[in-house]
Amino acid sequence: MRSVENAVKAIDELALFGGKPMFAEPLHVGRPNVGNRQNFELRVADILDRRWLTNGGKYVKELEQRIADLVGVKYCVAMCNATVALEIAIRALGLSGEVIIPSFTFIATAHALQWQEITPVFADIDPRTHTLDPAKIEQMITPRTSGIIGVHLWGNCCDVEGLSEVAKRHGLKLLFDSAHAFGCSYRGTMIGGFGDAEVFSFHATKFLNSLEGGAVVTNNRELAEKFALMKNFGFTYYDRTDYIGTNGKMNEISAAMGLTNLESMDDFIAVNRRNHKQYAEELAGIKGISLLSYDGREKCNYQYIVLEIDQGQTILSRNQLMEILHKENVLARRYFYPGCHRMEPYRSYSPHAGMLLPETEKLVNRVLCLPTGTAVNESQISKICQLLRLLVDNGTEIATRLNR
Ligand code: T4K
């Protein structure tokens, strides 16, 4: 283990018990990766000089082409964010009635459906990958089911084959929420070309950011044309619309940021991978804490450091550990607590949904995400790991003091 000065040494020194926080400034999960500033500024200057700020701009077109090439699909339509991209993809695919999704996902996956009065039906996950378990889907299918949305959570790919097989057997559309999975592969093929379409997020906190942004990718030309029209109000000509549309356009400054960050993608991956390796080494052997691993044979963006906490061994609960970390200015996140099915309006619509989601119910109380990316350094990671070791080594005593 690396030796680090100023790491917490004793329980009494914890900020929880009145000590000084380990970090003077908060360490966030989701600090943006930022590529070469000069390249970005040059692009912004060009955008301002040419006074073409949005709608069919050159940088958006370039970004779309670069993404399509990188993930190996025929069509990419850039959008203002992944939530709107999901809404558009759902509508363009003609989904209706009920659509099966995991509850263990960001709320946008569910909202994108409900926003269009389509009911998200929550299915359980495989506890090893945290993604939809195809074996659990069959029982959720009804005559109203029109599709499945798989989520490649943390960049871990869904069981694409299993989901495709169920979708095919029941004549369902298959969409992927690939918000986390830009730059990742499944069995050697880049994520992006699976199902009917896939949706990436380029939000500030994502591996590749365009400030805010997203994209839908597909190999289906007809669908791609619909996506492109729907994101621009459905206009097929200056004064003609062919369908209902919305404003889902990505602007040129966002595209400039996306392109700039694409140029640094390999550097971001190298940093994330190094961070993941360091966390794995320095958390090793802490009882009750396991780090989600990524398949080394696949391409991966390593954007998330995901811990699972087994309170039976750590004694301190996930929530207690999170609270203690927050006091030390490590703003760990319990994504995706409490599960979409326990958030409104879904909780009221289906108060007993959790009964069919045993793995989800367990996982939402176990996951804790730690800071990574280009904004954290080796020494900070060491301190976080040492702190966790201290907390678990002294779990009983700390829990007793907390409960007094
Ligand atoms: N599907 C899935 C599976 C998703 O995870 C998401 C988004 C979507 C769909 C929808 O994609 P978008 O429509 O957003 O493109 C965040 C993000 O807002 C959200 O994009 C993301 N998933 C989700 C997992 O996390 P919060 O509430 O954690 O984000 P926020 O804005 O509070 O940022 C988190 C931390 O990051 C902050 O505490 C500080 C740091 N930060 C954030 C921003 C925005 C910075 O340092 N700089 C920044 O500019 O939801």
Side-chain angles (χ1 to χ4, degrees):
M1 190 193 302
R2 295 152 178 88
S3 92
V4 175
E5 285 175 36
N6 301 328
V8 166
K9 299 281 184 339
I11 301 171
D12 285 334
E13 293 171 34
L14 289 172
L16 180 75
F17 299 131
K20 207 169 133 210
M22 184 174 248
F23 297 99
E25 298 293 328
L27 282 184
H28 295 276
V29 174
R31 294 293 277 167
N33 292 321
V34 179
N36 185 301
R37 257 167 215 240
Q38 208 188 357
N39 290 353
F40 175 63
E41 284 162 7
L42 285 171
R43 288 185 169 111
V44 171
D46 180 49
I47 290 164
L48 298 180
D49 287 347
R50 288 184 304 103
R51 293 181 188 237
W52 199 287
L53 308 185
T54 185
N55 210 357
K58 109 174 187 189
Y59 289 109
V60 166
K61 284 187 189 147
E62 189 183 338
L63 182 66
E64 289 175 338
Q65 190 58 54
R66 295 278 311 274
I67 291 169
D69 292 346
L70 197 134
V71 305
V73 294
K74 288 190 186 145
Y75 310 102
C76 170
V77 181
M79 305 225 184
C80 55
N81 59 55
T83 306
V84 169
L86 277 168
E87 287 167 10
I88 288 175
I90 287 162
R91 193 174 278 268
L93 277 168
L95 298 185
S96 63
E98 295 173 359
V99 171
I100 296 171
I101 67 169
S103 171
F104 193 67
T105 178
F106 188 58
I107 197 68
T109 322
H111 280 354
L113 289 163
Q114 194 64 53
W115 193 253
Q116 309 184 69
E117 312 223 335
I118 299 168
T119 305
V121 173
F122 301 113
D124 214 358
I125 46 166
D126 179 336
R128 290 163 308 163
T129 60
H130 300 184
T131 64
L132 264 187
D133 182 348
K136 306 279 173 57
I137 288 181
E138 212 96 30
Q139 57 181 323
M140 320 301 269
I141 296 175
T142 74
R144 296 187 73 228
T145 309
S146 61
I148 301 170
I149 303 181
V151 183
H152 303 305
L153 214 72
W154 320 127
N156 262 340
C157 194
C158 294
D159 178 352
V160 170
E161 278 167 11
L163 294 180
S164 305
E165 201 269 315
V166 177
K168 196 169 164 205
R169 192 144 29 89
H170 293 271
L172 304 174
K173 302 280 186 199
L174 180 58
L175 177 64
F176 287 103
D177 176 340
S178 314
H180 296 189
F182 187 70
C184 303
S185 70
Y186 173 70
R187 301 200 178 157
T189 302
M190 294 303 280
I191 287 176
F194 298 116
D196 292 293
E198 302 208 41
V199 173
F200 294 121
S201 170
F202 304 132
H203 179 256
T205 57
K206 293 296 182 295
F207 165 66
L208 181 93
N209 85 78
S210 62
L211 309 173
E212 288 266 7
V216 194
V217 287
T218 183
N219 284 313
N220 180 325
R221 198 181 82 191
E222 214 179 305
L223 262 183
E225 280 170 3
K226 269 194 178 175
F227 298 151
L229 293 177
M230 283 182 168
K231 68 129 204 252
N232 188 23
F233 310 101
F235 276 122
T236 45
Y237 196 63
Y238 279 123
D239 45 14
R240 177 180 146 174
T241 59
D242 280 7
Y243 345 84
I244 185 169
T246 185
N247 185 352
K249 299 186 297 291
M250 177 183 276
N251 69 67
E252 284 288 273
I253 306 277
S254 281
M257 185 68 167
L259 283 165
T260 304
N261 287 334
L262 258 184
E263 289 160 358
S264 296
M265 193 169 140
D266 291 343
D267 299 336
F268 299 156
I269 291 178
V271 171
N272 280 352
R273 185 196 279 146
R274 198 179 61 217
N275 290 351
H276 187 273
K277 186 166 176 281
Q278 188 187 344
Y279 272 116
E281 284 168 10
E282 299 195 22
L283 293 172
I286 304 183
K287 55 181 192 302
I289 292 190
S290 53
L291 171 68
L292 189 84
S293 61
Y294 296 101
D295 185 341
R297 295 165 300 181
E298 301 289 355
K299 288 203 164 149
C300 184
N301 60 35
Y302 297 89
Q303 178 69 0
Y304 293 94
I305 299 292
V306 185
L307 303 186
E308 274 190 57
I309 310 297
D310 174 2
Q311 192 188 347
Q313 296 188 69
T314 54
I315 310 301
L316 291 164
S317 68
R318 184 276 311 273
N319 288 352
Q320 287 173 323
L321 286 169
M322 187 177 76
E323 187 196 341
I324 298 169
L325 289 172
H326 281 204
K327 291 250 165 25
E328 301 292 345
N329 259 335
V330 180
L331 302 187
R333 298 289 299 264
R334 52 181 182 182
Y335 290 132
F336 289 98
Y337 177 84
C340 296
H341 68 291
R342 288 189 181 273
M343 294 170 91
E344 293 296 0
Y346 313 107
R347 187 173 59 172
S348 296
Y349 290 163
S350 189
H352 306 298
M355 288 170 72
L356 289 173
L357 305 170
E359 299 299 347
T360 303
E361 294 261 287
K362 271 187 246 160
L363 197 63
V364 292
N365 292 310
R366 288 166 62 95
V367 163
L368 193 60
C369 295
L370 297 179
T372 183
T374 46
V376 289
N377 62 37
E378 198 180 334
S379 143
Q380 290 166 328
I381 291 174
S382 271
K383 284 181 172 186
I384 295 170
C385 294
Q386 287 183 34
L387 176 61
L388 282 167
R389 193 174 292 278
L390 174 97
L391 298 177
V392 174
D393 284 350
N394 296 279
T396 308
E397 189 181 337
I398 297 169
T400 311
R401 285 176 68 166
L402 273 174
N403 292 332
R404 258 184 220 149

